[in-house]
Amino acid sequence: MLTIIAGPCVIESMECLEQVAEELVRLNEKYDLDIIFKASFDKANRTSIHSYRGPGLEKGMQMLGDIKEKYGLRILTDIHESYQAQAAGEVADVLQIPAFLCRQTDLLVAAARTGRIVNIKKAQFLSGLDMEYPVQKVRESGNDNVWLTERGNMYGYNNLAVDFRNIADMHRFTDTVIMDCTHSVQRPGAAGGKTGGNREFVPAMALAAKAFGANGYFFEVHPDPDNALSDGPNMLELDSLDDVVASLLDCRSAVATEE
């Protein structure tokens, strides 16, 4: 079963969350997917201090809990500080460790101790092989449910490049390797105090990752990305997600037929 993680970058409003959730439920019924709803209650690593961060831990987790109850979707959210792990883990099925923080021992240990799946994003400054040690920190804290996510590496200023060999390398440490198809097309800090991006490359990122063995796909989606409050330039339009998922399923079917 294809694992799809999808949702807006940050919680903007209940209306936006519900609009995305309704589409994810429709896609799940259409394709029989393993869909996980993603949204952040706080974006603590925005480029500018003036950028929108989200509703915060308490209100944000309440809103995500309402989505989980109403739509029956599993929930993923990211945490930036150790104290957030327990409260987020009471609602979220997957706790995500942001790429910049993937070596923060206390954060990894706190996430591990919740018993939830811990999805660690590979830092922009690390190789796939370097991710052995963040995985080790989680497992040695008593949690074997660890995923890894590829999201590109810094390549000069304000640009990312993806070495898809990282996917195969990270499979040495976990069975589940996710491709972050939208953050990998970011242009970090390249839009005047905020991050730019090239969303037109998102579908190709997904297909390339499939060829290298990814077994999950992360898409930030929004009904109106150009007016989103975070990560708009690299987010996929919500209406486009169906075509991208279909292409991944067609690719999977073709490989199975050849085998």
Side-chain angles (χ1 to χ4, degrees), residues 5 7 32 93 96 112 123 182 194 219 245 247-248 250:
I5 300 167
D32 189 24
D93 303 274
Q96 182 165 275
T182 45
K194 57 184 178 180
F219 301 99
V245 170
S247 71
L248 287 168
D250 287 345

Side-chain angles (χ1 to χ4, degrees), residues 2-218:
L2 195 66
T3 297
I4 300 291
I5 300 167
C9 177
V10 65
I11 297 171
E12 298 181 10
S13 67
M14 200 64 194
E15 180 183 6
C16 179
L17 295 183
E18 290 192 333
Q19 189 172 350
V20 174
E22 288 170 2
E23 175 64 5
L24 297 186
V25 169
R26 185 189 74 81
L27 293 176
N28 196 43
E29 293 173 350
K30 180 178 180 179
Y31 294 116
D32 189 24
L33 304 168
D34 175 25
I35 286 192
I36 302 171
F37 184 96
K38 181 269 172 185
S40 299
F41 57 83
D42 180 23
K43 300 299 292 184
N45 56 351
R46 297 299 305 274
T47 302
S48 170
I49 195 171
H50 302 293
S51 298
Y52 176 75
R53 289 181 52 167
L57 177 61
E58 183 176 354
K59 183 177 180 181
M61 294 316 300
Q62 181 180 356
M63 294 170 76
L64 291 175
D66 290 344
I67 291 293
K68 183 174 186 176
E69 181 176 0
K70 182 174 180 178
Y71 295 96
L73 293 166
R74 291 200 290 164
I75 299 293
L76 177 149
T77 197
D78 43 8
I79 58 174
H80 293 83
E81 298 188 58
S82 301
Y83 80 87
Q84 298 171 337
Q86 183 175 355
E90 291 176 1
V91 174
D93 303 274
V94 185
L95 294 180
Q96 182 165 275
I97 308 300
F100 287 133
L101 301 177
C102 73
R103 294 177 61 173
Q104 295 297 106
T105 300
D106 290 346
L107 185 62
L108 290 164
V109 170
R113 288 177 176 170
T114 66
R116 296 299 194 178
I117 296 168
V118 180
N119 181 36
I120 311 172
K121 284 195 169 184
K122 181 186 72 61
Q124 299 90 326
F125 50 85
L126 295 179
S127 72
L129 293 177
D130 291 327
M131 296 307 292
E132 175 182 2
Y133 303 102
V135 170
Q136 185 182 73
K137 291 177 182 181
V138 173
R139 289 193 171 137
E140 293 192 8
S141 300
N143 190 339
D144 288 329
N145 297 315
V146 190
W147 297 352
L148 291 173
T149 294
E150 167 62 29
R151 54 98 70 240
N153 286 83
M154 291 302 299
Y155 185 75
Y157 296 110
N158 305 124
N159 206 357
L160 294 170
V162 178
D163 182 348
F164 289 97
R165 295 173 297 181
N166 284 326
I167 294 171
D169 285 341
M170 291 192 292
H171 267 303
R172 302 183 188 198
F173 315 123
T174 179
D175 291 335
T176 303
V177 176
I178 309 293
M179 180 65 202
D180 185 339
C181 304
T182 45
H183 285 99
S184 60
V185 301
Q186 280 183 332
R187 299 292 301 274
K194 57 184 178 180
T195 292
N198 299 100
R199 73 171 68 101
E200 65 269 23
F201 297 125
V202 169
M205 284 290 182
L207 290 174
K210 179 68 181 178
F212 278 84
N215 48 12
Y217 304 87
F218 181 110

